[in-house]
Amino acid sequence: MNTKYNRITINVSDVKEKLTHASEIAADLTIPEDIPHGDMPGDKIEIGQSHIAKARTIFPELVKELTAKMEANPYGRAVVAVCGGSGVGKSEIASLLSYMLEQAGIGSYTMSGDNYPHRIPMYNDAERLHTFRVAGMRAMADAGVMNPENVAKIREWQKAETDADKAHAETDTWFTSYLEAGKEALKNYLGTPKETDFEEVDNIMKAFKDGADALYLKRMGRDEASLWYDLVDLSNKQVLIVEWTHGNSDYMTQVDIPVLLNSTPQETLEHRRSRNRDGKLDSPFTTMVLEIEQAKLVDQAHKAKIIVSKAGDIISYDEFKKIMAADI
């Protein structure tokens, strides 16, 4: 898929000229209440003043990065990834950056990485939990603590959905084997090709930069019947913005400009709770998932071209490390 396409014809000098004036045009823009959004599945985004302020801060820096990348591409194209935890406003800011580019005469399309897991959300959540529990039970057997009494406790905690709660180890030290092995297995699943089709996303980005005039993009809802592909016209688009938690992943090879929006697991949890996106938001397992995702974002942060603090300031990687160290 997405290997056969016609290529656009473009005057790269014209694109470069538009970039020269883009920051000035964007600075004077009045942002309407309803701007075009990306193809994020399921959720409705709500753009607030804080999102607009961050986007205005990011945009001049983004234009600088785009100038070099687009000038080097024979089709005057570049791929931007807006990444971070789900409470940090990726969808909103990606939509705003895309709108600003469009108003400056630079075509932009916003694509959501949330359309590319192997499973719909319900099944993926189940696979995450199953991965954690299978590894935990195997570790108990390997540690020699698999006995009827301990198994009965594990089953009780599983039914109560507290089997990822590290507090159990304070009274039952054998539980550590279950918890640590389960967490490690979950870490090796989340944000990896086991969970998500990174290859498909990479191929889309590669084809875009190769001048593809139209590409099939995946659409995924939250039930089994909500899955299809749209042929999207990209003939007048110069920038592809991918908004995604995993947009700066090592499994992504075609991103030109990763933009990292900083957040904490607690902020992510609060955001998910406000949207009522998933059930059992306060469970120890959900907390574990968010902590693992946060750790991966931190590990990948050194590759980001632009890092934005929670306060909306552009910060260096060294400043980012200091902020994250203070949050621990």
Side-chain angles (χ1 to χ4, degrees), residues 5 11 36 95 107 139 148 172 223 237 239 254 267:
Y5 43 79
N11 187 329
S95 296
D172 296 90
D223 61 75
K237 305 300 181 185
V239 179
Q254 297 296 315
E267 289 169 332

Side-chain angles (χ1 to χ4, degrees), residues 28 34 38-39 52 64 68 81 96 102 143 211 272-273 314:
D28 294 332
D34 188 20
D39 56 22
I52 295 173
K64 293 177 186 177
L96 284 163
E102 287 278 351
R272 292 164 77 100
R273 184 183 291 115
I314 302 291

